[in-house]
Amino acid sequence: MTVSARSPDRVRLEGADFCLPSGDRMPAVGLGLWKIPPETTAETVRAAAANGYRLFDSACDYGNERQAGQGIKAALAEGIRRDELWITSKLWNTYHRPEHVRPALERTLADLGLQQLDLYLIHFPIALRYVDPALRYPPGWFDDPAAKSPAMAPDRVPLADTWGAMEALVEAGLTRRIGVCNYNIALLRDLLASARIRPSALQVEMHPRLAQPKLLRFCHEEGIACTAFSPLGAQSYFQLGMADPQESLLKHPAVNSVATAQGRSAAQVLLRWGVQRGAAVIPKTTRHERLSENRELFDFALTAEEMATLDGLDEHRRFNDPGVFCEEAFNTFFPIYE
């Protein structure tokens, strides 16, 4: 049986924003900061803000939050108001114990030069042994990179304990909203059953090769905003050896056929597909011309037939899979998906 991703019941696309159940408006297109080199991050963020970007997706693990903060500071100096921006960051795996959650966010806020985040996410449902920031920051995946046989060191921390500490961050005014990344429906159901503060957002890998219609529909019906990372598919994974260039959606005949019919680029078609399904998208780029192109999604719409064509590319191909890359890169078998 095919399950379609219906129009959001409680998260609605309005112009270039999604309207959340709270009435807040989240930009439908943002800039993802993963893999942007630190030396170019500040200027990229400043340029993106000048180009109209208002959502910036960061994380401790990306290793460029201090530079992102410099870019935000420059954007504010150029006249953009703080309340116009939506800044997201993420709690890293080594900070899941409740006593480490607030210090982790305080470090992120200091690096970004902010008093409060708009959204703070649990990066993975993976708890690793604590690494003191004075020893190594960002801590990465290895427990001890200098060990003879370095590996990850899982920690026995219930996800509910971490979420309770996340709720305390909202109550302390350090972040306006909290959410999760890389959760499946079962984990979301468990979280919703016990949470005092419901998750505002879920961030997951999502593109036509990994459409995840059931997960997207569940989020819509629960009023959880969904953000698609890697919305262009395999592009970010070639240099990491996690994808084959033949898997590129930008070169897929079906994608390019739709692009030709629409008079748009393949990237715009893929991003419009994501937004039109009801997900925010956070493509990464450092090229100024791509910054403009990736935001130009709201003066056209894909037809029902074109959407069905792209839906039909789904092959459940996950590029960012800890069950694969943790063993290959970090000598530890650590699956979180079946």
Side-chain angles (χ1 to χ4, degrees), residues 18 38 95 110 131 134 140 145 151 160 166 174-175 207 212 257 297 330:
F18 283 109
Y95 305 132
V131 175
M166 295 282 284
L174 297 176
T175 181
H207 44 75
Q212 306 210 72
S257 177
L297 308 179
F330 306 113

Side-chain angles (χ1 to χ4, degrees), residues 267-298:
Q268 287 175 311
V269 165
L270 293 170
L271 297 175
R272 178 65 203 188
W273 173 85
V275 168
Q276 199 162 316
R277 296 172 82 227
V281 293
I282 46 171
K284 165 254 176 185
T285 186
T286 58
R287 297 170 58 183
H288 289 204
E289 66 273 20
R290 295 294 187 203
L291 288 173
S292 297
E293 179 183 307
N294 289 346
R295 287 189 63 247
E296 294 170 356
L297 308 179
F298 303 100

Side-chain angles (χ1 to χ4, degrees), residues 38-48 67 70-71 288 291:
E39 60 270 21
T40 61
T41 297
E43 173 54 22
T44 299
V45 169
R46 187 212 62 77
Q67 293 81 5
Q70 294 168 358
H288 289 204
L291 288 173

Side-chain angles (χ1 to χ4, degrees), residues 21 36 48 53 57 70 97 100-101 104 132 177 188 205 216 218 226 241-242 248 254 262 288 298 300 319:
I36 295 183
Y53 282 80
D57 183 82
Q70 294 168 358
R97 288 196 170 272
H100 301 314
V101 172
D132 190 323
R177 307 167 195 85
L188 286 173
E205 180 181 348
L216 184 58
F218 179 81
C226 192
M242 296 163 65
S248 173
Q262 286 281 351
H288 289 204
F298 303 100
F300 77 104
F319 297 106

Side-chain angles (χ1 to χ4, degrees), residues 252-266 268-269 299-307 309-310:
H252 195 288
V255 175
N256 280 279
S257 177
V258 173
T260 298
Q262 286 281 351
R264 299 286 174 155
S265 71
Q268 287 175 311
V269 165
D299 58 349
F300 77 104
L302 303 179
T303 67
E305 182 179 1
E306 289 168 339
M307 289 293 290
T309 294
L310 298 178

Side-chain angles (χ1 to χ4, degrees), residues 140-186:
W141 292 85
F142 282 133
D143 184 55
D144 179 6
K148 183 176 181 180
S149 299
M152 295 162 52
D155 198 7
R156 296 173 65 87
V157 184
L159 292 170
D161 289 1
T162 305
W163 187 256
M166 295 282 284
E167 291 172 325
L169 300 177
V170 178
E171 293 162 344
L174 297 176
T175 181
R176 295 179 63 196
R177 307 167 195 85
I178 50 177
V180 293
C181 301
N182 301 298
Y183 271 44
N184 60 22
I185 292 174

Side-chain angles (χ1 to χ4, degrees), residues 208-209 232-235 238 245-260 265-267 269-270 309-315:
R209 292 197 190 276
L232 302 179
Q235 296 304 117
F238 296 148
Q246 294 181 347
E247 296 180 284
S248 173
L249 281 167
L250 295 178
K251 297 181 180 179
H252 195 288
V255 175
N256 280 279
S257 177
V258 173
T260 298
S265 71
V269 165
L270 293 170
T309 294
L310 298 178
D311 290 344
L313 301 181
D314 189 12
E315 55 188 16

